[in-house]
Amino acid sequence: KPLILADPSLLRRNDLNAAQNIPAPLSAGRTLGQTFRADRPFITVSGKLPTWNTKGASVRLTLYQDGPEGKRIKTHRVNDVTDNAWVFLNLDAPLPPGTYYLELSEPEGILGWWSHTDDSYPHGQAYADGKPAPGDRTLSVRYADEDTGKILNFFTFRKPNPDYFRGPSGPNEWAWMEVYPQHVYYSTPGVPEQMTVSVAQNAVEGKLGVLSNPRAHGRSFHDDRQPPPSGQDYTGRNFAEQAERAQEVDPDFVFITGWNEWIAMRFPREAPFAGTGPVNFVDQFNHEYSRDIEPVKGGHADSYYYQMAAFIRRFKGVRKPEPAGPSRTIRIDGDFRDWRGVRPEYRDDRGDTARRSHRGWGREGRYRNETGRNDFILLKAARDEEFLYFYAQTREPITPPEANGWMMLLLNTDGDSATGWEGYDFIVNRTGVTDGEGTLERNRGGWNWEPVAKVQVRTKGREMELALPRKPLSLRDPLRLDFKWIDSPGLSGDILAAYTDGDSAPNGRFRYRYLTEDAMKESGSSP
């Protein structure tokens, strides 16, 4: 069901008695209670409890029919009571109208029940140790009305826990960020349902803190310590430590935070966070002390994005690759019917060549990017003994050939990502296409290339095909190679331009893999 991170107990809360002027303390061995009248079916009852700013208190809530001597309906223990919070007893099914009695007992720590010295609730009676007492306690119920029932049946609710350190106080809670080792959240006791993974945490010595404090948990935090600047890098040791724990526990869900939070909000020296100083930035401070995963120019670039992608692939699993079909000769003649039935098909998302123009912040002017041109949607590859064949289909008709990054094809032929440019050993069409011919170039280090052969190229409408001679590629059987298409006028040696300029298939640094069935068997995979 669709998920809402919210406390369902707060849905349509009806305060029977919100009047308060004194907190009645609850000590060990004693009880506090209140009778109340429900005039229609209800599914939750609650009271408001003070803890006098202490933490770690817990208490048992018990609901009876009629009064303290009546039939016990349900009991539940609430842990880690927050000061002046409403604590709830949720029922398994709606109870009918009538008179009921809510009792607090078995306290641990310091807590009480907000009350009023006057008889503020005419339909109920306060109790202490099972005997009538003056005044009334705070009380609230949630009625089982039709709209509330529909909402509860349609959505899954999980109560969010913002605490980085203590873990769940009961079932059906989810966290959004925690320090290592992260707690396990559950719906059914003993069955892991949810955990968090994050790249950094604004935690300072066990308290909610600021990331501008050098003792905070930065991106390099691991083994219970934050290394000095000389030991900080972009390898994501904090993220890796948290991801490894989530992998070991294997809950149903992992909540990863955060994606985009580049808001540099400076707080005053008196900010209520641990580790404050003359300069206080809670969530974002610099590359080491920040929580963003999204790629950024400069600094960590896209390191954490691919670290996240690698973790997701391990956690969720991936489909086994589809092997290349049988050998096939393609005629490069602009008649694309001989590509029918060629497998596998490689897909790219549509609509990512939108031209952008937006006003910048303050006096920064406008941000413009009009490099979007050819939007890749479908790619294929084929082979015979002499040639490799490639096919590209775009959303709109392909633009005329240009020398500035037009419809380029990159190949990793040696399986080594440390060689070539960003792992690519050959490139096609970098210098444009003339009279149906492009150029195959070999990498000479960095963004330097040398021509090695001519390439047959045909384009018509939304389709393009080309043939590369195998001999200059030094390919051996069984065949295994990676390839990538880029149409990007801004690409001149910076792979990050694949995120912002034109289109690439697949996006960013990702690449497609083409391998025969024999190559899959050799590597230990099967179709």
Side-chain angles (χ1 to χ4, degrees), residues 1-2 146-157:
K1 295 192 296 183
E146 183 177 353
D147 289 342
T148 300
K150 288 180 178 179
I151 292 173
L152 292 172
N153 287 331
F154 185 77
F155 292 101
T156 292
F157 281 83

Coordinates of all heavy atoms in Angstrom, one line a residue, residues 1-2 146-157:
K1 N 0.8 -1.2 0.0 CA 0.0 0.0 0.0 C 0.9 1.2 0.0 O 2.0 1.2 0.4 CB -0.9 0.0 1.2 CG -1.9 -1.2 1.3 CD -2.9 -0.9 2.4 CE -2.3 -1.0 3.8 NZ -3.3 -0.8 4.8
P2 N 0.4 2.4 -0.5 CA 1.1 3.6 -0.4 C 1.5 3.9 1.0 O 0.8 3.7 2.0 CB 0.2 4.7 -1.0 CG -0.8 3.9 -1.8 CD -0.9 2.6 -1.2
E146 N -15.9 7.0 9.1 CA -15.7 6.3 7.8 C -14.5 6.8 7.0 O -13.7 6.1 6.4 CB -17.0 6.6 6.9 CG -17.0 5.9 5.6 CD -18.2 6.1 4.8 OE1 -19.2 6.6 5.4 OE2 -18.3 5.7 3.6
D147 N -14.3 8.2 7.0 CA -13.1 8.7 6.3 C -11.8 8.2 6.9 O -10.9 7.9 6.2 CB -13.2 10.2 6.4 CG -14.3 10.8 5.5 OD1 -14.8 10.1 4.6 OD2 -14.7 12.0 5.7
T148 N -11.7 8.2 8.2 CA -10.5 7.7 8.9 C -10.2 6.3 8.5 O -9.1 5.9 8.2 CB -10.6 7.9 10.4 OG1 -10.7 9.3 10.7 CG2 -9.3 7.4 11.1
G149 N -11.3 5.5 8.5 CA -11.2 4.1 8.2 C -10.7 3.9 6.8 O -9.8 3.0 6.5
K150 N -11.2 4.7 5.8 CA -10.7 4.6 4.4 C -9.2 5.0 4.3 O -8.5 4.3 3.6 CB -11.6 5.5 3.6 CG -13.0 5.1 3.3 CD -13.7 6.1 2.4 CE -15.2 5.6 2.2 NZ -15.9 6.6 1.3
I151 N -8.8 6.0 5.0 CA -7.4 6.4 5.0 C -6.5 5.3 5.5 O -5.5 4.9 5.0 CB -7.2 7.7 5.8 CG1 -7.9 8.9 5.0 CG2 -5.7 8.0 5.9 CD1 -7.9 10.2 5.8
L152 N -6.9 4.7 6.7 CA -6.1 3.7 7.3 C -6.1 2.4 6.5 O -5.0 1.7 6.4 CB -6.6 3.4 8.7 CG -6.5 4.5 9.7 CD1 -7.2 4.1 11.0 CD2 -5.0 4.7 10.0
N153 N -7.1 2.1 5.8 CA -7.1 1.0 4.9 C -6.4 1.2 3.6 O -5.8 0.2 3.1 CB -8.6 0.6 4.6 CG -9.3 0.0 5.7 OD1 -8.7 -0.7 6.6 ND2 -10.6 0.1 5.8
F154 N -6.3 2.4 3.2 CA -5.6 2.7 1.9 C -4.1 2.8 2.1 O -3.3 2.4 1.2 CB -6.2 3.9 1.3 CG -5.6 4.2 -0.1 CD1 -6.1 3.5 -1.2 CD2 -4.6 5.2 -0.3 CE1 -5.5 3.8 -2.5 CE2 -4.1 5.5 -1.5 CZ -4.6 4.8 -2.6
F155 N -3.7 3.5 3.2 CA -2.3 3.8 3.4 C -1.7 2.8 4.4 O -2.3 2.4 5.3 CB -2.1 5.2 3.8 CG -2.4 6.2 2.8 CD1 -3.6 6.9 2.8 CD2 -1.5 6.5 1.8 CE1 -3.9 7.9 1.9 CE2 -1.8 7.5 0.8 CZ -3.0 8.2 0.9
T156 N -0.4 2.6 4.3 CA 0.4 2.1 5.4 C 1.1 3.2 6.1 O 1.7 4.1 5.5 CB 1.5 1.1 4.8 OG1 0.9 0.0 4.3 CG2 2.5 0.7 5.9
F157 N 0.9 3.3 7.4 CA 1.4 4.3 8.2 C 2.6 3.8 9.0 O 2.6 2.7 9.6 CB 0.4 4.9 9.2 CG -0.6 5.9 8.6 CD1 -1.7 5.4 8.0 CD2 -0.3 7.2 8.8 CE1 -2.6 6.3 7.4 CE2 -1.2 8.1 8.2 CZ -2.3 7.7 7.5

